[in-house]
Amino acid sequence: MKNLVVLSGAGISAESGIATFRDFGGLWDKYRIEDVATPEAFRKNPKLVLDFYNMRRRECIKAQPNRAHIGLAELENDYNVFIITQNVDDLHEKAGSKNVLHLHGELMKARSSMDSTLIYDLDSLNSDIQIGDQALDGSQLRPHIVWFGESVPMMEKAQDIVAKADILVIIGTSLNVYPAAGLVDNVSDGVPIYLIDPNTVFVPRSGINFIQKIASEGVGELIKILGSAR
Ligand code: NAD
């Protein structure tokens, strides 16, 4: 089977009710990145940061995968599907996708603030992280999120996956956040690239097949295209 690699971003979860980064009136409009999504913010005001992610986690627990997530999971019948997502929600997993790599961490996990390898699953019934909650090393628990200014430990693995792609599909990402956006450069020459987004996204590469639609409709169209290409 061919390797179909998907790079997804916040746009794929928009139809599930999770705001994208740059939506007007969304969560990210009310908070500044510097106040909630950097290591400095956590040092300065850990309660604000924990509350912000507690709120996002509750939203994630309620959210259901949409037809785009489900369509990608179903493609596993015909392809080796590898999903590399910038999203911290778990909607690809809820849809049934088996190979999901989270570049920017996972909302449903917590970790030690001293040791990035000491990671814990959070219980959906009691999911908030509070001040005073400790990891086994005695440090304050923090969200298992790659904050702005932190390195992206999964990057090398993601580059290897993209390098083995026979087909690359990019969905719902403005390709503004690096190093994730640079993954497109790791695809081999001649590999077909499909980009699903209702808006115009600039990709510094020629030969992209643009599907200018929202994720659910775009994945439906992709499945038809792939079906007729077989
Ligand atoms: P972004 O907000 O920069 O870009 C979102 C893209 O999705 C845009 O190009 C937009 O046109 C497109 N879009 C909007 N509605 C869509 C729809 N219905 N279907 C398909 N596409 C749609 O998001 P990004 O590129 O993922 O980067 C922002 C960062 O913010 C990432 O690092 C990500 O971790 C984080 N983030 C994650 C979530 C989540 O986990 N669901 C939500 C918000 C932000």
Side-chain angles (χ1 to χ4, degrees):
M1 284 204 283
K2 284 186 175 173
N3 292 337
L4 187 146
V5 177
V6 177
L7 175 61
S8 71
I12 196 168
S13 297
E15 290 169 77
S16 297
I18 299 183
T20 66
F21 204 49
R22 289 170 178 84
D23 269 340
F24 294 111
L27 193 60
W28 289 98
D29 227 17
K30 301 183 192 104
Y31 293 87
R32 293 187 326 147
I33 289 174
E34 310 84 64
D35 294 336
V36 293
T38 64
E40 293 74 29
F42 191 57
R43 275 194 290 274
K44 205 169 128 201
N45 192 344
K47 182 166 179 349
L48 176 75
V49 175
L50 292 181
D51 285 348
F52 173 77
Y53 284 99
N54 288 341
M55 194 165 69
R56 299 201 59 211
R57 197 173 302 109
R58 285 183 224 150
E59 179 187 72
C60 167
I61 289 165
K62 276 192 270 162
Q64 292 303 318
N66 64 55
R67 282 194 292 130
H69 300 103
I70 294 166
L72 294 178
E74 287 172 356
L75 276 171
E76 291 189 10
N77 294 328
D78 300 307
Y79 295 90
N80 295 318
V81 180
F82 297 91
I83 301 199
I84 300 169
T85 187
Q86 297 167 82
N87 294 347
V88 294
D89 66 48
D90 58 358
L91 294 178
H92 284 297
E93 288 90 342
K94 276 185 185 163
S97 283
K98 292 193 193 73
N99 304 309
V100 185
L101 183 146
H102 287 268
L103 273 180
H104 296 159
E106 295 175 65
L107 268 178
M108 294 310 299
K109 291 184 177 168
R111 74 162 171 89
S112 148
S113 42
M114 288 193 316
D115 176 355
S116 62
T117 62
L118 210 48
I119 301 166
Y120 305 90
D121 286 329
L122 288 167
D123 179 348
S124 59
L125 294 175
N126 183 19
S127 68
D128 285 5
I129 307 175
Q130 310 285 4
I131 294 285
D133 289 349
Q134 290 180 349
L136 267 180
D137 59 6
S139 74
Q140 169 68 44
L141 279 181
R142 57 162 273 184
H144 179 49
I145 300 285
V146 177
W147 283 324
F148 287 90
E150 293 186 315
S151 62
V152 182
M154 290 296 178
M155 201 55 202
E156 216 169 297
K157 211 167 164 189
Q159 286 166 337
D160 290 346
I161 293 172
V162 172
K164 292 191 189 109
D166 297 307
I167 300 168
L168 179 69
V169 182
I170 302 166
I171 309 179
T173 169
S174 60
L175 294 178
N176 272 327
V177 178
Y178 277 82
L183 279 172
V184 183
D185 296 333
N186 292 96
V187 78
S188 303
D189 288 342
V191 168
I193 304 178
Y194 297 91
L195 189 149
I196 300 171
D197 200 296
N199 298 307
T200 308
V201 177
F202 174 71
V203 191
R205 210 183 161 100
S206 58
I208 308 274
N209 303 292
F210 289 97
I211 302 178
Q212 200 162 3
K213 294 197 162 151
I214 56 170
S216 59
E217 292 173 9
V219 169
E221 182 157 330
L222 174 78
I223 290 170
K224 277 192 212 145
I225 296 169
L226 295 177
S228 57
R230 266 207 310 270

